């Protein structure tokens, strides 16, 4: 049996193919932009080409995300379940999954055998997700990748108090005018996102090992700040965090999970 998992995120669309013998076969992604359905078709075509398969050779196509129901797929899955399954494929010991993307953030507590016991989600506010990081990088006139380097040398003495992206941008501008070192501001940005994410973790109950996935898992400063905020040593970024949802969807489809579309 062969399956495809499609994860339609706010910024990007990810696809993973899987079969019962080899597990994950291939992956591909495209920017979502204004045409996420077209991006999904392109990413699926690339993943099929990499795996040397055709669309007719897939038994099931499953999808997650807000536009999942518009794809005409065989199964629609929850983002919570897909993220948890994708992480557990690479980290079977994970008991808590923190999934932070461009706009959404969620904490998912798991049983020893990987079942979802509880989860909590943000209220679709970018202040606790990747879009906040992008906005802050623009204010600092830096690439997002530079923020990790800056934050590593930050003192930790500067705090951001604003809950809204717009007000936080003004706060950062004020800090720059004082002037405040970019290193301290970058550290404050990571700490701010970690603080909001930790609220979700505390709602479901802290467990370790804790694995961070989604786009924010690529930020070393965020993962470090989250571990410090929660007071845990075993907090790590997932392997290939951008594809956890797509891989999880493909693997759940292999098991026959999800609502039929």
């Amino acid at each position: 049996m062969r399956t495809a998992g499609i994860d339609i995120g706010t910024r990007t669309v990810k696809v993973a193919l899987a079969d019962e013998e080899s597990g994950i076969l291939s992956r591909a992604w495209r920017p979502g932009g204004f045409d996420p359905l077209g991006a999904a078709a392109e990413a699926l075509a690339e993943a099929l080409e990499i795996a040397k398969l055709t669309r007719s050779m897939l038994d099931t196509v499953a999808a997650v995300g807000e536009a999942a129901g518009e794809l005409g797929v065989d199964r629609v899955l929850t983002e919570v379940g897909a993220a948890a399954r994708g992480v557990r494929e690479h980290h079977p010991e994970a008991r808590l999954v923190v999934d932070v993307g461009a706009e959404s953030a969620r904490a998912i507590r798991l049983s020893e055998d990987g079942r979802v016991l509880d989860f909590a989600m943000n209220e679709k506010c970018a202040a606790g997700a990747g879009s906040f990081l992008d906005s802050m990088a623009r204010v600092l006139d830096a690439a997002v990748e530079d923020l990790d380097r800056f934050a590593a040398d930050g003192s930790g003495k500067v705090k951001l108090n604003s809950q809204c992206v717009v007000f936080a941008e003004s706060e950062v501008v004020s800090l720059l005018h004082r002037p405040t070192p970019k290193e301290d501001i970058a550290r404050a940005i990571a700490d701010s996102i970690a603080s909001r994410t930790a609220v979700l973790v505390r709602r479901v109950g802290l467990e370790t090992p804790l694995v961070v996935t989604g786009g924010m898992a690529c930020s070393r400063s965020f993962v470090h700040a989250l571990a410090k905020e929660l007071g845990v040593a075993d907090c790590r970024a997932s392997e290939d965090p951008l594809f956890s949802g797509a891989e999880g969807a493909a693997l759940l489809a292999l098991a026959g999970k999800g609502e039929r579309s």
Side-chain angles (χ1 to χ4, degrees):
M1 183 176 182
R2 299 186 185 94
T3 63
I6 303 174
D7 177 10
I8 302 179
T10 304
R11 297 282 183 84
T12 58
V13 177
K14 287 79 63 177
V15 172
L17 304 186
D19 71 13
E20 293 175 307
E21 293 184 2
S22 304
I24 300 301
L25 299 172
S26 64
R27 302 174 306 183
W29 72 279
R30 288 289 188 278
F34 295 104
D35 184 19
L37 303 186
E42 291 180 4
L44 177 59
E46 181 181 345
L48 286 167
E49 182 178 356
I50 293 171
K52 296 180 171 55
L53 299 173
T54 63
R55 175 65 178 82
S56 63
M57 298 170 71
L58 296 177
D59 297 283
T60 304
V61 178
V64 299
E66 292 186 5
E70 302 175 26
L71 282 173
V73 295
D74 302 303
R75 294 182 181 273
V76 175
L77 299 156
T78 68
E79 293 172 282
V80 168
R85 181 64 184 86
V87 167
R88 289 280 293 203
E89 180 69 9
H90 300 287
H91 306 273
E93 72 284 2
R95 294 296 302 277
L96 187 70
V97 173
V98 173
D99 180 14
V100 186
E103 299 288 345
S104 62
R106 54 183 68 87
I108 310 164
R109 184 163 58 88
L110 306 175
S111 65
E112 288 187 5
D113 60 359
R115 290 179 295 109
V116 174
L117 297 177
D118 196 7
F119 69 91
M121 301 176 62
N122 68 349
E123 298 176 352
K124 296 296 182 182
C125 174
S131 292
F132 181 79
L133 196 67
D134 291 341
S135 297
M136 297 302 101
R138 285 195 296 271
V139 175
L140 290 175
D141 193 25
V144 171
E145 295 77 14
D146 290 333
L147 297 186
D148 275 345
R149 179 167 53 84
F150 292 157
D153 295 324
S155 67
K157 296 179 180 179
V158 175
K159 301 295 181 185
L160 293 181
N161 299 309
S162 301
Q163 297 291 318
C164 170
V165 172
V166 175
F167 293 138
E169 288 182 355
S170 297
E171 193 174 351
V172 169
V173 169
S174 297
L175 288 170
L176 286 171
H177 288 170
R178 287 183 187 179
T180 304
K182 284 187 176 182
E183 290 79 5
D184 286 355
I185 297 174
R187 170 76 177 271
I189 291 167
D191 289 345
S192 176
I193 301 174
S195 176
R196 291 169 176 80
T197 305
V199 171
L200 301 178
V201 171
R202 294 183 180 111
R203 285 183 195 170
V204 301
L206 178 61
E207 296 278 359
T208 55
L210 187 163
V211 179
V212 183
T213 192
M216 283 300 298
C218 299
S219 170
R220 295 188 306 275
S221 56
F222 166 70
V223 175
H224 176 77
L226 182 62
K228 184 177 180 181
E229 176 72 23
L230 294 170
V232 297
D234 199 350
C235 176
R236 68 192 78 161
S238 175
E239 183 176 333
D240 297 318
L242 297 179
F243 286 94
S244 293
E247 291 188 358
L251 294 168
L252 287 173
L254 281 177
K257 304 291 185 180
E259 297 181 2
R260 290 190 177 277
S261 181

